[in-house]
Amino acid sequence: MIYFRLFTVMLATVFMLVIFYGDLSTVQSLLAGLCGGFVSVVAAQNNDGSRLKALEKRIEELEALR
């Protein structure tokens, strides 16, 4: 759940930049990068979760062979 906190901090930073800078094309670029980063973090976490489940299943299979 740490990525939600990070996402919130980044989103707040973008809004601060909108207020102080105000250029729409720059803000759109920042938002695109922010969303892309968020998607990659979530995908990496899901990949780790599936690897962990596969490892647990393999351990159970090996214990069953004993």
Side-chain angles (χ1 to χ4, degrees), residues 7 12 14-17 21-22 32 40-41 43-44 62 66:
F7 181 72
V14 168
F15 286 138
M16 293 288 283
L17 289 172
Y21 192 67
S40 65
V41 167
L62 291 173
R66 278 186 149 178

Side-chain angles (χ1 to χ4, degrees), residues 2-64:
I2 188 73
Y3 55 88
F4 283 121
R5 290 182 189 161
L6 229 102
F7 181 72
T8 305
V9 169
M10 287 184 189
L11 193 60
T13 304
V14 168
F15 286 138
M16 293 288 283
L17 289 172
V18 169
I19 292 169
F20 291 117
Y21 192 67
D23 186 17
L24 185 61
S25 63
T26 302
V27 171
Q28 287 176 343
S29 298
L30 288 171
L31 287 174
L34 181 66
C35 291
F38 182 71
V39 167
S40 65
V41 167
V42 171
Q45 186 172 8
N46 287 341
N47 189 19
D48 288 344
S50 65
R51 285 184 185 175
L52 183 59
K53 286 179 185 177
L55 182 61
E56 288 173 350
K57 184 179 177 183
R58 180 68 179 146
I59 289 172
E60 289 175 1
E61 289 173 357
L62 291 173
E63 287 177 348

